[in-house]
Amino acid sequence: MEEWLMQKNVTASDVARALGMSQSTVSRVFTPGASVSAKTRKKVLEAAQQMGYRPNAIARSLITKKSNMIGIVMGDVKNPFYPNVLSMFSRELGKKGYHLLFVNTKNNQISDDEIFQLCEYNVEGIIITDALLTSSLASYFKDKQIPIVMFNRYEQNSLFHAVSCDNIDGGYQIGKYLLTKGHRHLAFISGNPNTSTSHDRKKGFQEALQESGYTYTTEYGDYTYEGSYQATLRLLKSALPLDAIFCANDIMALGAIDAAKEIGVRIPEDVSIIGFDDIDLAAWSAYSLTTWKQPVNKMIAATIELLLKHIEKPEQNNLIIYKSIKGSLVERKTVMDRH
Amino acid sequence: MEEWLMQKNVTASDVARALGMSQSTVSRVFTPGASVSAKTRKKVLEAAQQMGYRPNAIARSLITKKSNMIGIVMGDVKNPFYPNVLSMFSRELGKKGYHLLFVNTKNNQISDDEIFQLCEYNVEGIIITDALLTSSLASYFKDKQIPIVMFNRYEQNSLFHAVSCDNIDGGYQIGKYLLTKGHRHLAFISGNPNTSTSHDRKKGFQEALQESGYTYTTEYGDYTYEGSYQATLRLLKSALPLDAIFCANDIMALGAIDAAKEIGVRIPEDVSIIGFDDIDLAAWSAYSLTTWKQPVNKMIAATIELLLKHIEKPEQNNLIIYKSIKGSLVERKTVMDRH
């Protein structure tokens, strides 16, 4: 600690004194565009390194064009999946010397202002989690050649790299699993239907059911606990026969479980419920939710790899890469074998 | 959108062309320390403003010494209280033109590296939520004259402003409330005992009990669901009579409820449980937790006010201000009247 504080206090004037130069000469070396001879520059840089003098990150970023900042755009922090992802990105990128500029979007739609902020700070790359890009903003990013990776999202004909769980496979395996366990009257509680996550999970689910000749009911829960709570009440109070509900994320599955209990529907005896994500709460004994585990560690690692590769080799940036990583079933206590 | 994109594309060379000057003259105006006449500077700045030319934030921050960045240091994102606070700070500070550099600490202890990052980016101020500062780092911050507000934390003889809920009052009112409802065998599940939050909530609770001649048992739950789950099992499996548990935060109260249910102890018939925070989950029907609501909106507003006042008037920074804001009881279903 002591040593570090000492090092921190090394200034341009200390370096100048050690070299017998003026402070302004030393400063010019660290000022973009200032005139200084190659020989002087070399001397100053060597001494600066030995003495532990580092001009601050902002000054340095003007020289190196590297800000070491990554923008992260996130909407829904009420779904614990995302704060967890934020924390993991912060730690993993921190190990590589990057820092996070955090942007919290309203209504999951990225605004002009928010983009403006990120560009203003010379972020080297941007990770977009659960927010939506308008097509004009997408073109703007592309023009500015800012590397972007969509995390847990992708768009058709996207201009940007994307990493997500294999949501179609997840939905498909969930459909198969519920049928194998003898369920015949199924419902799907959708998130925002404009998102690839909800769309793909539904698509895979539908495929599995169609292969076996079954259909299902759809309700909309808006990816929130409250939305799904209400959607579940609508389903359970309708005249439809129902023995299983697939919720497009865990937080909705928890809302579904609580809604069912509220009106005396037993989980899983009367209705099975399965989620998607495997957030910490899914394992809480109040829920013991059977769900589909997103491979979050692998998704984070793949996102960072793509982003840093793009930052380091921008010339290869025309090849758009979409990585889809398979998840796995976590069986707990909310799905019953009906055979 | 179109107009905005147009404005964004105004460059130093557009400004130069409009004024019939060279681009390097325009750039010099926006380069710290570069030589340029007062007359030219005025002309360029006026034209730049009219045309909507803005050099980027990093370049500007060298001129104005304002980065418009606030560092936020946060540890435990698994407690939903903190992601919610992060989101609120992001929105409220965003309205005032500030952006958040997010630092996620390990083990709630701020490391040298993390501080180094924040200083490197010329953050104008720092908000520290649930992390701990060593005394040497505190001195370092003080020396660097970086405005700091501790949110939901304070330290004895602190060098920094602090904003928190009136935790002593909260603990006291909770103690009174449980006694009024006829509880006589009380337990307290503590968070990290080195934190002012847990310490003060306990202190107030103890005062209320002592006034009426009662004592209580203490267990440690580490401010986590899992920690409190285990602490509750220890309490309930011991030979001690017990009719109420005060948990120092909500997430621990949820762990306590689930642990009790797991071993067939009915809440609130056998044991009452009360939390502290009023996170969203407290209202979920699976829990319906009676708790103490932290006045988060007021706490956020007070923190921002203190921080910005300090940033704007650094000369007044010797007066350390500690704001403590009263919370309020939220009665739900986990405390029974035992009379």
Side-chain angles (χ1 to χ4, degrees):
Chain A
M1 185 60 218
E2 281 310 304
E3 193 190 354
W4 178 79
L5 281 178
M6 291 284 288
Q7 285 184 351
K8 287 297 89 218
N9 287 329
V10 176
T11 64
S13 108
D14 296 329
V15 177
R17 207 173 314 116
L19 292 171
M21 292 177 179
S22 72
Q23 191 188 326
S24 71
T25 304
V26 172
S27 293
R28 274 207 305 284
V29 171
F30 296 99
T31 305
S35 127
V36 60
S37 77
K39 194 178 153 195
T40 304
R41 182 182 298 275
K42 186 164 175 288
K43 264 195 197 163
V44 168
L45 289 176
E46 280 173 6
Q49 195 176 13
Q50 277 169 25
M51 298 175 65
Y53 169 62
R54 300 179 65 182
N56 76 35
I58 286 188
R60 214 165 49 242
S61 83
L62 283 173
I63 305 166
T64 59
K65 307 276 181 199
K66 280 180 70 64
S67 66
N68 284 329
M69 273 197 279
I70 302 288
I72 186 159
V73 182
M74 186 167 281
D76 182 13
V77 298
K78 286 192 190 295
N79 177 355
F81 181 78
Y82 289 107
N84 186 44
V85 157
L86 174 65
S87 167
M88 291 171 78
F89 272 123
S90 169
R91 291 182 188 186
E92 295 305 315
L93 282 166
K95 289 179 193 165
K96 296 178 186 295
Y98 286 93
H99 316 303
L100 284 182
L101 198 65
F102 174 77
V103 174
N104 187 210
T105 55
K106 259 174 260 179
N107 310 320
N108 294 8
Q109 175 84 45
I110 303 177
S111 75
D112 296 1
D113 265 4
E114 288 156 350
I115 294 313
F116 184 46
Q117 291 169 21
L118 293 173
C119 296
E120 281 240 306
Y121 284 96
N122 281 0
V123 293
E124 292 188 46
I126 298 175
I127 296 164
I128 296 177
T129 63
D130 61 338
L132 299 172
L133 268 182
T134 60
S135 58
S136 55
L137 276 181
S139 322
Y140 175 73
F141 275 135
K142 198 69 185 175
D143 288 350
K144 285 265 181 183
Q145 295 194 302
I146 297 172
I148 290 184
V149 181
M150 316 283 280
F151 177 88
N152 204 28
R153 280 282 179 283
Y154 76 96
E155 285 165 26
Q156 291 293 330
N157 307 316
S158 174
L159 298 167
F160 308 111
H161 306 307
V163 172
S164 70
C165 175
D166 187 337
N167 290 307
I168 296 178
D169 175 66
Y172 182 85
Q173 301 295 343
I174 285 170
K176 281 283 182 198
Y177 172 71
L178 292 176
L179 292 176
T180 305
K181 294 283 182 184
H183 301 86
R184 296 296 176 257
H185 305 287
L186 299 132
F188 174 69
I189 299 187
S190 169
N192 180 341
N194 294 329
T195 59
S196 61
T197 46
S198 193
H199 177 270
D200 285 0
R201 290 167 196 175
K202 177 172 180 161
K203 187 177 171 191
F205 185 64
Q206 186 163 317
E207 279 175 18
L209 269 57
Q210 279 176 346
E211 280 180 14
S212 304
Y214 292 99
T215 59
Y216 64 100
T217 312
T218 301
E219 263 290 352
Y220 297 89
D222 198 30
Y223 271 145
T224 65
Y225 174 92
E226 296 78 11
S228 172
Y229 190 100
Q230 296 304 327
T232 303
L233 291 182
R234 288 194 296 275
L235 281 172
L236 295 176
K237 288 177 175 175
S238 76
L240 282 171
L242 186 70
D243 57 16
I245 305 175
F246 165 33
C247 297
N249 73 1
D250 278 358
I251 203 90
M252 292 203 299
L254 306 186
I257 291 172
D258 286 347
K261 283 184 182 165
E262 190 69 16
I263 57 172
V265 172
R266 295 168 306 161
I267 308 297
E269 295 80 355
D270 301 326
V271 175
S272 293
I273 291 178
I274 189 166
F276 203 109
D277 280 345
D278 198 30
I279 58 177
D280 286 357
L281 278 71
W284 286 9
S285 60
Y287 295 109
S288 287
L289 179 69
T290 294
T291 188
W292 192 257
K293 185 180 180 60
Q294 292 216 56
V296 181
N297 286 319
K298 287 183 190 170
M299 289 163 65
I300 299 269
T303 302
I304 292 175
E305 194 193 338
L306 271 177
L307 195 65
L308 298 192
K309 205 177 270 177
H310 190 153
I311 289 169
E312 283 151 23
K313 301 197 171 167
E315 70 279 6
Q316 293 175 7
N317 98 43
N318 286 322
L319 185 64
I320 303 301
I321 296 172
Y322 170 46
K323 285 203 179 178
S324 154
I325 305 173
K326 283 208 169 22
S328 55
L329 183 70
V330 178
E331 286 190 278
R332 294 197 183 93
K333 298 179 183 167
T334 56
V335 173
M336 205 173 91
D337 194 331
R338 306 214 176 272
H339 289 298
Chain B
M1 183 62 215
E2 283 309 303
E3 194 189 353
W4 178 79
L5 281 179
M6 293 283 287
Q7 285 183 351
K8 288 298 88 214
N9 287 331
V10 176
T11 64
S13 106
D14 297 329
V15 177
R17 208 173 312 114
L19 290 172
M21 290 176 181
S22 72
Q23 190 187 326
S24 72
T25 305
V26 172
S27 294
R28 274 208 304 282
V29 172
F30 295 99
T31 303
S35 127
V36 60
S37 76
K39 195 177 152 195
T40 304
R41 182 183 297 275
K42 186 165 178 285
K43 264 195 197 163
V44 169
L45 289 175
E46 280 173 7
Q49 193 176 15
Q50 277 169 25
M51 297 175 68
Y53 169 63
R54 300 178 66 180
N56 76 35
I58 285 188
R60 214 165 48 242
S61 82
L62 282 174
I63 304 167
T64 60
K65 307 276 182 199
K66 281 181 70 64
S67 66
N68 284 329
M69 273 196 280
I70 302 288
I72 187 160
V73 182
M74 185 167 281
D76 181 13
V77 298
K78 287 192 191 296
N79 177 356
F81 180 78
Y82 289 106
N84 186 43
V85 157
L86 174 65
S87 166
M88 289 172 79
F89 271 123
S90 169
R91 290 182 190 186
E92 295 306 314
L93 282 166
K95 288 179 192 165
K96 296 179 186 294
Y98 286 92
H99 315 305
L100 285 182
L101 198 65
F102 173 77
V103 174
N104 188 208
T105 55
K106 258 174 261 178
N107 309 322
N108 292 9
Q109 176 84 45
I110 303 177
S111 74
D112 297 359
D113 264 6
E114 287 155 351
I115 294 314
F116 184 46
Q117 292 168 23
L118 293 172
C119 296
E120 282 241 305
Y121 283 97
N122 281 359
V123 293
E124 292 188 47
I126 299 175
I127 297 164
I128 296 179
T129 63
D130 61 338
L132 300 172
L133 268 182
T134 59
S135 58
S136 55
L137 276 180
S139 322
Y140 176 73
F141 275 137
K142 198 68 186 175
D143 287 349
K144 284 265 182 184
Q145 296 195 304
I146 297 172
I148 291 185
V149 182
M150 317 283 280
F151 177 88
N152 204 29
R153 278 285 178 283
Y154 77 95
E155 286 165 25
Q156 291 294 328
N157 307 316
S158 175
L159 298 167
F160 308 111
H161 306 308
V163 172
S164 71
C165 175
D166 186 338
N167 289 306
I168 296 179
D169 175 66
Y172 182 85
Q173 300 297 341
I174 285 170
K176 282 283 182 199
Y177 172 72
L178 292 176
L179 293 175
T180 304
K181 294 282 180 184
H183 300 85
R184 296 296 177 258
H185 304 289
L186 299 131
F188 173 68
I189 299 186
S190 169
N192 180 343
N194 292 330
T195 59
S196 62
T197 47
S198 193
H199 176 269
D200 286 359
R201 289 166 196 174
K202 177 172 179 163
K203 187 178 173 190
F205 184 64
Q206 187 164 318
E207 279 175 17
L209 268 56
Q210 279 176 344
E211 280 180 15
S212 304
Y214 291 98
T215 58
Y216 64 100
T217 312
T218 302
E219 263 289 353
Y220 296 89
D222 199 31
Y223 272 146
T224 65
Y225 174 93
E226 295 78 10
S228 172
Y229 190 99
Q230 296 304 329
T232 304
L233 291 182
R234 287 194 297 273
L235 281 173
L236 295 175
K237 288 177 175 176
S238 75
L240 282 171
L242 187 70
D243 57 18
I245 305 174
F246 166 31
C247 297
N249 75 0
D250 277 358
I251 204 89
M252 291 204 299
L254 306 186
I257 292 172
D258 287 347
K261 283 186 183 164
E262 190 70 15
I263 57 171
V265 172
R266 294 167 307 160
I267 309 296
E269 294 81 354
D270 301 325
V271 175
S272 293
I273 290 178
I274 188 164
F276 202 110
D277 280 345
D278 198 30
I279 57 177
D280 286 357
L281 277 72
W284 286 10
S285 62
Y287 295 108
S288 286
L289 178 69
T290 294
T291 188
W292 192 258
K293 186 180 178 60
Q294 292 215 57
V296 181
N297 286 318
K298 288 183 189 169
M299 288 162 65
I300 299 268
T303 302
I304 292 176
E305 194 192 336
L306 271 179
L307 195 65
L308 299 191
K309 204 175 272 178
H310 190 154
I311 289 170
E312 282 153 23
K313 303 198 170 168
E315 69 279 6
Q316 293 175 6
N317 97 45
N318 286 321
L319 186 64
I320 302 303
I321 297 172
Y322 170 45
K323 286 203 178 179
S324 153
I325 305 172
K326 284 208 169 17
S328 55
L329 183 71
V330 178
E331 286 190 279
R332 293 197 183 93
K333 298 179 183 166
T334 55
V335 174
M336 205 173 92
D337 194 332
R338 306 215 177 270
H339 288 299

